[in-house]
Amino acid sequence: MNLDKVISGFFIILAMTINFGFFYGDIDSLETHSKYELFAAIIINLIATTLKLGDKTQMGSVLLATSLVADIQLIAAAIIWGVAAYAYTIDREIASIIISLSGGALLANITSVALYVGETIKSKR
Amino acid sequence: MIVQNSSLWIVFHKMRMPFIVIILTYTISITGLLIIEGVDSNGNPYHMSIFDAFYFITYTATTIGFGETPYEFTYAQRLWVSFCVYLTVIGWFYGVGALISLLQNKMFLHEISRVRFKRQVKAIRKKYIILLGYNYITSEIIKRLLDADIRAVVIEKDEERVNSLILESYTPTVPVLLDNVHSPKSLEAAGISRLNCKAVVSLFNNDALNLRIGIVSKLLNKNITLAVKATHPKSVNNLNDINAEIIVNPFVTIANELKMAIQSPHLLKLEKWLYQIDTLDAHMPKLPIGRYIVCGFGRMGQSIYRTLKDEKEVDLFFIERNKKKLDGLSERELQNFIVADADDKEVLEQAGVKEAVAIVAFTNNDTVNISILATARKLNSSILTLAREDEMDDVSIFSNAQMNYLFMPSKIIINKITNALINPLADQFARCIMEKDEAWAMHLVKDLLQKIDNAPLLYEMTINEQEAPEVINFLEKSELMLSIFQVSLHNRHQHNNVIPLLLLRSDDTIVLPHWNMPIRQDDKILFACDAYAQNDIEYIAQNPYEFYYALTGEEKTIFKQRLFK
């Protein structure tokens, strides 16, 4: 058993699943999207990104790229939420932007997991 | 596909754990603040928002204090914050510390220097040669290469030697890579596959290592010229099998020099001139005929035995301390051997030192060699003393010992390698004349002294579009004799001071070619000449007007050209 693989695989897949957990729900209302879940999604995605650093193979570079995309979208969603909550009012438009950004992050995470699984299937051990 | 520049990836790889630690410390701190219940200004319980918690931890983690926000903390919150301060500060301290130690990390610095080395190699436009290992011998080779306008690149695995090379401050700069010398990766980094990389030089004392480097080099670039040192006959055969072009065995060379000094001193004189060691009028006494006592039967002594044992001028007698080295010799052969320490007076007498004409101290220990010769001279004051010197110190302990002849394997390697790399035709000529006799050599030396001077220049020319465009043009429509290069441009009816030594063709090798020989494209010609003649030869080969004059004796003018059209 390769512990490094277990840890990195754990965080990569966890990042996707938490991302989905936050994204799932009404597209125009934040009532069904927990802010704590977004917080957790950002943290887990940052950890997953960090675990991909330093792998200079072609596959490692692509995985890192997808992870950075997810990070940017989730952090942007959090920033918009914070700004709207403390400086403006949250309406349906703001809510849909936040949820859409997390949807984009989810797609990036799905791509990342697909690449990861593909590489795993290809490997011989 | 490997990313070219590895330095950045090393930083990322090493900084993984610090980044994880910082993220986790922030997460724990923020989560704690979210969970712990606080009290607002009206005394009502509330939970801190994510942003408030993030904001507070951000300035707390950097040890900046902006007070408790948004409301005054309860004691439960303050307890947690106290813990958070230490947690996040330790996290940052760990992260920054890791980054600093990384920048001083040898692996990182090694990668940085490798990148710089690759950039330096890539910037070389001229011909260059890869030298493996840095020591006195390779440093002398580097100096001669740079003098000949050939660049050098070095791979060395010992850091102190790398530093001493850098301190030497060669001009132009000699790139040096601190790495394994036999690794394909380091040879690739040195650009072994590039067009302007001409040769690899490997002169380690370990024959197996030299052979391994030779094999790897030929695999990476089968056109590369190999210059390798080998001291065992088996190693020489293996190197020949992989087409190593230049194989230097200093012991065989010394044995051959000894043979020439006895039988053909003028041949030895020619060789020394070719290697630019001596001039043609240097004093070169003939070694006497008779008994030679040789001390030491290692690689040197064995080479002498193989080279001279069948020569009638020499009666060889050997003294060797290690009996095992005499394995393989027949009973009859063993009659000329004594197993003993050679610096012992009685042993020397037993070997016939009183009647011997020469004693050869060729062990690998300089002190022992001196001791042997001093003892021998006491017993026979007229004996000729020949010694081998291994160490190349600035002050030679041999200089005060008054040797008749001193053989230096190191100097021989330097001369052989540099000559073969810089003047390949001269090296070829030196090998061709090995079979000639003393009369032939004497005649050639006399010719060179009379026609040129005591230190003729060696000039190598190839009949190709680059070096001899006028000759190539003319050969397309007519035949041309070698004598075209003999013409003096000052007066066509006179000859310059030049002697052709060698003409190398793909299908033939001609020593001392006659002036009447027709030349062909791609012929390689070695001339001995003076500076004036070399200048004329280059003009004739490259300048249309000078070529025309040399050919016809008439001035070629633009006016005449137009008139004929």
Side-chain angles (χ1 to χ4, degrees), chain A residues 35-36 39 43 46-47 50-51 53-58 61 64 86, chain B residues 3 6 9 12-13 16 19-20 23-24 27 30-31 34 49-51:
Chain A
K35 59 189 176 184
Y36 298 110
F39 172 66
I43 297 298
L46 285 176
I47 293 176
T50 305
L51 289 174
L53 292 175
D55 183 353
K56 57 186 185 180
T57 63
Q58 176 89 317
S61 301
L64 179 61
Y86 295 106
Chain B
V3 178
S6 305
W9 294 114
F12 283 161
H13 189 276
R16 271 196 219 171
F19 287 156
I20 297 286
I23 294 173
L24 287 181
T27 304
I30 293 171
T31 303
L34 296 180
S49 71
I50 297 175
F51 178 72

Side-chain angles (χ1 to χ4, degrees), chain B residues 157-213:
Chain B
K157 68 172 186 285
D158 185 300
E159 189 165 7
E160 286 189 13
R161 291 174 190 261
V162 170
N163 290 336
S164 68
L165 187 154
I166 293 171
L167 287 174
E168 198 73 32
S169 296
Y170 290 108
T171 304
T173 300
V174 174
V176 57
L177 176 66
L178 176 64
D179 206 350
N180 233 337
V181 293
H182 57 74
S183 151
K185 185 183 173 190
S186 54
L187 286 169
E188 280 289 358
I192 193 174
S193 304
R194 303 181 71 213
L195 274 182
N196 56 328
C197 176
K198 294 303 176 184
V200 170
V201 177
S202 176
L203 304 174
F204 297 102
N205 287 329
N206 184 337
D207 279 11
L209 177 57
N210 287 331
L211 176 60
R212 178 174 179 179
I213 289 166

Side-chain angles (χ1 to χ4, degrees), chain B residues 296-324:
Chain B
F297 197 66
R299 295 170 295 176
M300 176 77 88
Q302 290 177 29
S303 289
I304 292 174
Y305 186 66
R306 278 194 298 269
T307 303
L308 292 174
K309 66 179 179 177
D310 296 324
E311 304 299 332
K312 52 185 179 298
E313 295 97 338
V314 176
D315 174 22
L316 287 179
F317 200 92
F318 286 86
I319 303 174
E320 167 57 49
R321 181 175 56 187
N322 186 346
K323 185 175 172 59
K324 288 184 178 177

